[in-house]
Amino acid sequence: MKNTYDVAIVGGGINGASIAYQLSKLGRKVIIIEKGELACQSSSAAAGMLAAQAELEQDGPLFQLALKSQAMFSSLSEELFEATGIDIELTYNGMLKIAETEEIAEEVKKQVIYQRKWDPAIKWLDANEIRELEPALSLNVAGGMYLPNDGNVQPTKLSKAFAKAALDFGAEIREYTEVLSFLFEKGQVTGVKTTHGIIHCGQVVVAAGAWAAELMRGSGLNLSMYPVKGECFSIKTEKPIINTTIFSDKRCYFVPKRNGEIYIGATMVEHSFDATVTPGGIAELTARAVHIIPSISNAAVMRVWSGIRPQTGDGLPYIGEHPNWKGLFIAAGHFRNGILLSPITGILTAKLMEGKLNKDPFLSAFRLDRHKEMIF
Ligand code: FAD
Ligand code: GLY
């Protein structure tokens, strides 16, 4: 029957594309339904850091998920290049998590001790050592945690590589089509209603980023989610001024990219679905950035942009099946780390949908019904 698939994926961001790749590789007939263009939202706004240890400071299910996903990038990059010819620009340029005061330095030194459990190559660099590695850093920098094995990717290319690989395995992509609601029959999802008609399917996965909660409300689930806007800009200099990714705090980092641009991010504007880039946001970011690397004030600004991060009430993504409707799954809420988490999200979601991980204790932290008040 026309418009009938095994699986409909709502959202063509990096997570929807990764899930599509894994499912179509297993021989499932998959369609991605995207209201705009592929990777048009957060997934093309990201800096592409794979910063499990800089972003997540404590052990727990999310940290373990992030470490597992981080370890997948090297082989994934080769696999996707072979399958699609797309180079995701995986670069292991290392990361410096800097401390600008002695007080912060004491905190970061504790993190070094802790993080060495996962990677013994991680070390503390004092003020002299850190400027030897990155001479452009300001004299305010008291030292930092050096993670030589950290890397970054080009997130739009990774999203497109997942999608192209899925297409090659027979998946379809329908852009400029919004999913409006779900169709249910006898406790089971049977399809979705879209702006361009009905699509029938045996399973649905909602990978709609920050917009997932609104759609899920129509299924009787009140997910705790909210948007967090992030504004960024990029610069180019005549000669490279940094080689390592420099991460100051969750509101300022510098990511050198293969094309010579340095991405500088990002603001954190909570509860904003409005992606407008504001002079106030860019001014705040520029002030922080110049304080850390003074010479950037003479660089050429290339672009400004923003994206909407999908945050959840407890900071953990939702990956699981609806408690009341069989066949309706969600993979959303990856907040600041959705690029890093995309490989494992694709694999785990596909396995869950195949019925292979239903009782897995590792996934229980990400269940949709982890707070009972969410079901109405
Ligand atoms: P999205 O990319 O938001 O995709 C969801 C898609 O669903 C969208 O394309 C949307 O149009 C579509 N959609 C929504 N509703 C519907 C509907 N009803 N019907 C059809 N389609 C629909 N992460 C990292 O790991 N490393 C980083 O360095 C990093 N940097 C970041 C920097 C910034 C400034 C921002 C904003 C984010 C950053 N992130 C980073 C986070 C990362 O970008 C997100 O976690 C990730 O992109 C989320 O991907 P997603 O596929 O879940 O959602
Ligand atoms: N992970 C970087 C950001 O979300 O800004």
Side-chain angles (χ1 to χ4, degrees), residues 49 55 253 266 309 335-337:
M49 294 179 285
E55 288 264 2
Y253 50 77
R309 304 176 185 91
F335 190 37
R336 296 179 60 95
N337 295 298

Tab-separated table of all heavy atoms in Angstrom, residues 49 55 253 266 309 335-337, ligand 2:
chain	number	residue	atom	x	y	z
A	49	MET	N	31.522	19.489	19.110
A	49	MET	CA	32.461	18.930	20.102
A	49	MET	C	31.970	17.553	20.557
A	49	MET	O	30.762	17.320	20.643
A	49	MET	CB	32.530	19.838	21.340
A	49	MET	CG	33.134	21.185	21.079
A	49	MET	SD	33.157	22.201	22.569
A	49	MET	CE	31.439	22.671	22.722
A	55	GLU	N	31.982	18.533	29.273
A	55	GLU	CA	30.587	18.952	29.479
A	55	GLU	C	29.958	18.270	30.693
A	55	GLU	O	29.146	18.862	31.389
A	55	GLU	CB	29.742	18.604	28.249
A	55	GLU	CG	30.025	19.462	27.036
A	55	GLU	CD	29.050	20.630	26.921
A	55	GLU	OE1	28.198	20.793	27.800
A	55	GLU	OE2	29.165	21.374	25.933
A	253	TYR	N	33.231	28.776	24.461
A	253	TYR	CA	34.225	27.817	23.969
A	253	TYR	C	34.620	28.201	22.552
A	253	TYR	O	33.905	28.957	21.875
A	253	TYR	CB	33.677	26.378	24.031
A	253	TYR	CG	32.317	26.216	23.402
A	253	TYR	CD1	32.154	26.154	22.017
A	253	TYR	CD2	31.165	26.144	24.182
A	253	TYR	CE1	30.899	26.018	21.445
A	253	TYR	CE2	29.911	26.015	23.622
A	253	TYR	CZ	29.787	25.953	22.251
A	253	TYR	OH	28.557	25.837	21.676
A	266	ALA	N	28.756	29.619	23.313
A	266	ALA	CA	27.389	29.866	22.849
A	266	ALA	C	26.602	30.401	24.041
A	266	ALA	O	26.889	30.046	25.185
A	266	ALA	CB	26.758	28.591	22.327
A	309	ARG	N	18.474	24.158	21.779
A	309	ARG	CA	18.845	22.890	22.430
A	309	ARG	C	17.612	22.288	23.129
A	309	ARG	O	16.880	23.007	23.804
A	309	ARG	CB	19.909	23.106	23.500
A	309	ARG	CG	21.179	23.783	23.045
A	309	ARG	CD	22.063	24.004	24.251
A	309	ARG	NE	23.274	24.745	23.989
A	309	ARG	CZ	23.388	26.063	24.086
A	309	ARG	NH1	22.344	26.801	24.394
A	309	ARG	NH2	24.545	26.641	23.873
A	335	PHE	N	19.917	17.871	24.744
A	335	PHE	CA	20.434	19.152	25.252
A	335	PHE	C	21.748	19.580	24.583
A	335	PHE	O	21.761	19.838	23.390
A	335	PHE	CB	20.580	19.075	26.776
A	335	PHE	CG	20.865	20.394	27.432
A	335	PHE	CD1	20.284	21.557	26.960
A	335	PHE	CD2	21.727	20.484	28.525
A	335	PHE	CE1	20.541	22.790	27.571
A	335	PHE	CE2	21.993	21.699	29.143
A	335	PHE	CZ	21.406	22.844	28.661
A	336	ARG	N	22.852	19.628	25.319
A	336	ARG	CA	24.121	20.182	24.805
A	336	ARG	C	24.968	19.127	24.112
A	336	ARG	O	26.060	19.432	23.622
A	336	ARG	CB	24.951	20.749	25.962
A	336	ARG	CG	24.338	21.919	26.693
A	336	ARG	CD	25.247	22.372	27.822
A	336	ARG	NE	26.544	22.786	27.362
A	336	ARG	CZ	26.900	24.049	27.099
A	336	ARG	NH1	26.053	25.030	27.288
A	336	ARG	NH2	28.111	24.329	26.664
A	337	ASN	N	24.490	17.874	24.073
A	337	ASN	CA	25.383	16.790	23.640
A	337	ASN	C	24.787	15.868	22.584
A	337	ASN	O	25.170	14.707	22.480
A	337	ASN	CB	25.809	15.979	24.883
A	337	ASN	CG	26.651	16.835	25.810
A	337	ASN	OD1	27.720	17.294	25.429
A	337	ASN	ND2	26.140	17.099	26.993
B	2	GLY	N1	27.703	21.700	23.714
B	2	GLY	C1	27.849	23.074	23.398
B	2	GLY	C2	26.617	23.844	23.464
B	2	GLY	O1	25.559	23.278	23.631
B	2	GLY	O2	26.683	25.037	23.364
